[in-house]
Amino acid sequence: MSKLILYGDQLSQPTRAILFILLNNKIPHEFKTISIAKGEQNTEEFAKINPWKKVPVIQDGDLTLIESHTILRYIAQKYKLDQLYSNTDLIERCKVDMYLDWHHIGLRKPASTVFYFTFVAPLFGIPVNQELLASESKNLQTSLSKFESIWLGDKKFIVGDKATLADFASFTEISNLRLISNDYFDLSKYPKIDKWIKQFETMDGYQESHNIFNIVLAKKQ
Amino acid sequence: MASKLILYGDMMSQPVRAVRFMLLNHKIPHVFKAVKIASLEHLSDEYKRMYDQSKYIYIYLSNQSIEIKLTLLNCIYCSNPLHLIPALQDGDLTLVESHTIMRYIAQKYKLDQLYSTTDLIQRCKVDMYLDWHHLGLRKASTMVFFSKFVAPRIGRAVNQAALDMEIMNLQTSLSKFESIWLGDKKFIVGDRPTLADYSAFTEISNLRFVPVEFFDLSKFPKIDAWLKRFESFDGYEESHLIFKKVLSKL
């Protein structure tokens, strides 16, 4: 069996979600850093691996997959990680899929736009589109409220007592917002999300997959 | 399989059409219940007339406000707190999110050519497109559709900065769809349509509502040929009845 190769940047939320799951489940893999800040995803060499010039990407022998949720589903099914995404129960898979499908426009669109304009843009001197920031910032508050009250509700994790692919995908997206100002992300308003986030920090694989993230976060504080 | 599937939705919604089209194409017994998107109400007399004759409830596109017109369908909202359409009920099970609904139907009814129940890699090929679709195509296409078709008809203001960006993104998305997702294949994954094609078809064909300067099919000959393949499929006419009537009034 060939070893999985994950190409990504540990400052990318979807890359961290995959790396965290691989480490948490002790799946043998090799991690190759493609630095987004250095533009390494745009090189001709990388375009041969992924014509979309995006990370994350995995290679498993001859198979190359893009899109983090596809990669997460693949790993969970190939290695039979049934508590993350059931191999045997269609309805259990659907419960995870509903969140994963909602995530893109429901959460990631506002979260990544607000992150870009309040963290990335100032760092690189990129002008901020204030109108867009204002509307996505409003959407982000709506998304977080729905995440708190509907997706989490009174459960420990999105689908129930155990973390699934849905939780890993949303954890890295939401915890990423700690890098931005409290004006845009105030965890004291979302006690259930706050409690849910803390559950991940003691899990196997958290430290290694969040090493670089935590260094950047420490600089902010 | 005692219960019959119930699909809730508005036939002017692209994801609803995708689910309905695949149900009809595969002759899966189901009941369709119209749930009206209120902001589309003033879109055209034709749309209003068709819906005024049917039972419906109102659902607003904005995040919070929901006005239930017919309490008959109240039950769906107990199990669908996000108030999303399409929604599918199968006995006690309620699902939202069109891609989840389509994956469910394909797996339950073993429609392996749409989404293989036996081959993980074939599923991954479909999943890659389905996961790309949301931010790769739909984010841009819905913004352009709303701003250039819906907003002027209902007197809604448009966020110009966001629109300018999404107009640009849409051209990039369509180019990539043409060159990478389709390439020289008949459909996204190969010779036969999968869930990926149904989802993409209703989203892209919906752009026929926007002015040609924002969606010029002559620039995308492969997309044009691909779109035409669907129009002779079983279920196309029935799932696109309202769509075609509204389009013909333009």
Side-chain angles (χ1 to χ4, degrees):
Chain A
M1 208 187 282
S2 57
K3 196 188 248 186
L4 289 181
I5 304 172
L6 170 63
Y7 297 86
D9 184 329
Q10 290 187 32
L11 288 173
S12 129
Q13 304 86 294
T15 299
R16 282 202 300 277
I18 298 168
L19 189 58
F20 194 176
I21 279 186
L22 287 171
L23 292 165
N24 187 259
N25 291 282
K26 301 186 174 51
I27 308 288
H29 65 278
E30 187 182 336
F31 182 75
K32 291 193 178 175
T33 298
I34 302 296
S35 164
I36 297 172
K38 292 183 195 158
E40 288 174 358
Q41 77 278 18
N42 294 320
T43 62
E44 293 225 347
E45 194 188 342
F46 188 67
K48 279 181 204 154
I49 296 164
N50 179 12
W52 295 96
K53 302 176 181 175
K54 275 168 52 179
V55 293
V57 175
I58 61 159
Q59 277 186 325
D60 188 7
D62 289 342
L63 180 70
T64 301
L65 296 176
I66 61 164
E67 284 297 331
S68 67
H69 292 178
T70 300
I71 294 170
L72 293 174
R73 285 188 186 95
Y74 174 75
I75 294 169
Q77 291 176 93
K78 174 168 175 173
Y79 295 96
K80 307 236 182 295
L81 310 174
D82 275 22
Q83 69 183 65
L84 292 179
Y85 192 68
S86 174
N87 271 276
T88 53
D89 187 332
L90 171 59
I91 293 175
E92 285 304 303
R93 281 201 297 282
C94 283
K95 288 179 185 169
V96 177
D97 281 339
M98 281 203 280
Y99 177 79
L100 291 177
D101 289 339
W102 179 83
H103 175 87
H104 303 274
I105 288 179
L107 173 68
R108 183 160 165 81
K109 175 175 167 272
S112 62
T113 307
V114 172
F115 177 71
Y116 180 78
F117 283 134
T118 64
F119 185 86
V120 181
L123 218 56
F124 291 89
I126 298 165
V128 173
N129 184 331
Q130 293 294 346
E131 200 185 353
L132 193 55
L133 172 60
S135 75
E136 289 297 4
S137 168
K138 217 177 108 198
N139 289 340
L140 179 60
Q141 300 317 311
T142 309
S143 297
L144 292 170
S145 298
K146 284 185 177 175
F147 192 86
E148 169 110 351
S149 64
I150 303 177
W151 289 112
L152 280 180
D154 293 318
K155 296 177 267 78
K156 258 184 93 176
F157 293 101
I158 293 173
V159 175
D161 279 346
K162 294 188 138 171
T164 66
L165 296 185
D167 299 278
F168 282 90
S170 50
F171 168 72
T172 57
E173 197 62 48
I174 294 180
S175 64
N176 193 60
L177 296 170
R178 289 163 142 181
L179 294 175
I180 68 176
S181 148
N182 275 3
D183 300 346
Y184 296 100
F185 181 62
D186 181 359
L187 264 177
S188 70
K189 285 188 200 156
Y190 307 106
K192 288 174 183 175
I193 294 180
D194 193 22
K195 209 173 137 202
W196 168 81
I197 283 182
K198 290 199 172 76
Q199 299 176 111
F200 291 88
E201 293 173 359
T202 54
M203 287 184 189
D204 278 357
Y206 171 77
Q207 291 301 340
E208 193 176 339
S209 58
H210 286 71
N211 209 357
I212 296 175
F213 174 81
N214 282 328
I215 292 172
V216 177
L217 185 62
K219 281 187 191 155
K220 178 209 165 190
Q221 287 158 349
Chain B
M1 283 189 214
S3 60
K4 198 183 243 186
L5 295 182
I6 305 172
L7 174 66
Y8 296 84
D10 182 323
M11 293 307 288
M12 279 300 286
S13 139
Q14 305 86 293
V16 172
R17 282 202 299 278
V19 177
R20 188 92 200 280
F21 192 1
M22 79 168 267
L23 283 169
L24 291 165
N25 188 263
H26 289 83
K27 300 186 173 53
I28 307 290
H30 66 279
V31 176
F32 178 73
K33 293 194 178 177
V35 175
K36 188 181 182 187
I37 300 172
S39 66
L40 295 180
E41 180 178 24
H42 305 293
L43 216 54
S44 77
D45 290 343
E46 190 62 31
Y47 178 85
K48 200 169 185 312
R49 190 183 61 74
M50 305 265 313
Y51 270 100
D52 283 347
Q53 290 167 353
S54 61
K55 292 180 176 172
Y56 59 80
I57 62 174
Y58 280 104
I59 179 166
Y60 286 84
L61 274 179
S62 66
N63 277 322
Q64 284 91 8
S65 49
I66 299 272
E67 178 193 336
I68 295 173
K69 190 83 175 176
L70 270 183
T71 50
L72 173 76
L73 299 183
N74 247 346
C75 56
I76 187 76
Y77 286 101
C78 304
S79 45
N80 179 7
L82 291 160
H83 307 297
L84 295 173
I85 57 156
L88 184 83
Q89 273 189 321
D90 187 8
D92 291 339
L93 178 72
T94 301
L95 297 176
V96 294
E97 285 295 334
S98 66
H99 292 175
T100 299
I101 292 171
M102 294 199 291
R103 284 189 186 97
Y104 174 74
I105 295 167
Q107 292 176 90
K108 174 169 175 172
Y109 296 94
K110 306 234 182 296
L111 310 174
D112 275 25
Q113 68 184 68
L114 292 180
Y115 192 68
S116 174
T117 54
T118 54
D119 186 334
L120 171 59
I121 293 174
Q122 283 306 111
R123 281 201 300 281
C124 283
K125 287 179 183 171
V126 178
D127 281 339
M128 281 203 283
Y129 176 79
L130 292 178
D131 290 337
W132 178 84
H133 175 86
H134 303 272
L135 295 172
L137 172 68
R138 184 164 162 78
K139 176 163 100 61
S141 60
T142 52
M143 178 72 185
V144 174
F145 170 68
F146 184 80
S147 307
K148 292 294 171 191
F149 183 74
V150 182
R153 288 167 171 82
I154 63 172
R156 186 85 69 91
V158 166
N159 181 336
Q160 193 58 43
L163 175 60
D164 290 343
M165 192 183 77
E166 295 301 359
I167 286 172
M168 247 169 61
N169 287 344
L170 181 60
Q171 298 316 308
T172 311
S173 296
L174 292 170
S175 299
K176 286 184 172 176
F177 191 86
E178 168 109 352
S179 62
I180 306 182
W181 289 115
L182 280 181
D184 293 320
K185 296 175 267 79
K186 261 182 93 175
F187 294 99
I188 294 171
V189 176
D191 279 347
R192 305 184 102 166
T194 65
L195 296 185
D197 297 277
Y198 280 91
S199 180
F201 169 73
T202 57
E203 195 61 46
I204 294 180
S205 63
N206 195 61
L207 294 168
R208 293 182 191 276
F209 287 116
V210 307
V212 72
E213 57 192 292
F214 305 106
F215 180 61
D216 183 357
L217 269 176
S218 70
K219 285 189 201 156
F220 304 106
K222 287 175 184 175
I223 294 180
D224 195 22
W226 168 82
L227 286 175
K228 288 199 173 75
R229 291 186 190 114
F230 291 87
E231 291 171 5
S232 58
F233 281 11
D234 277 357
Y236 173 78
E237 290 300 328
E238 194 175 341
S239 56
H240 287 74
L241 202 62
I242 294 177
F243 171 87
K244 284 172 73 177
K245 287 203 171 171
V246 175
L247 193 62
S248 71
K249 301 289 171 187
L250 285 185

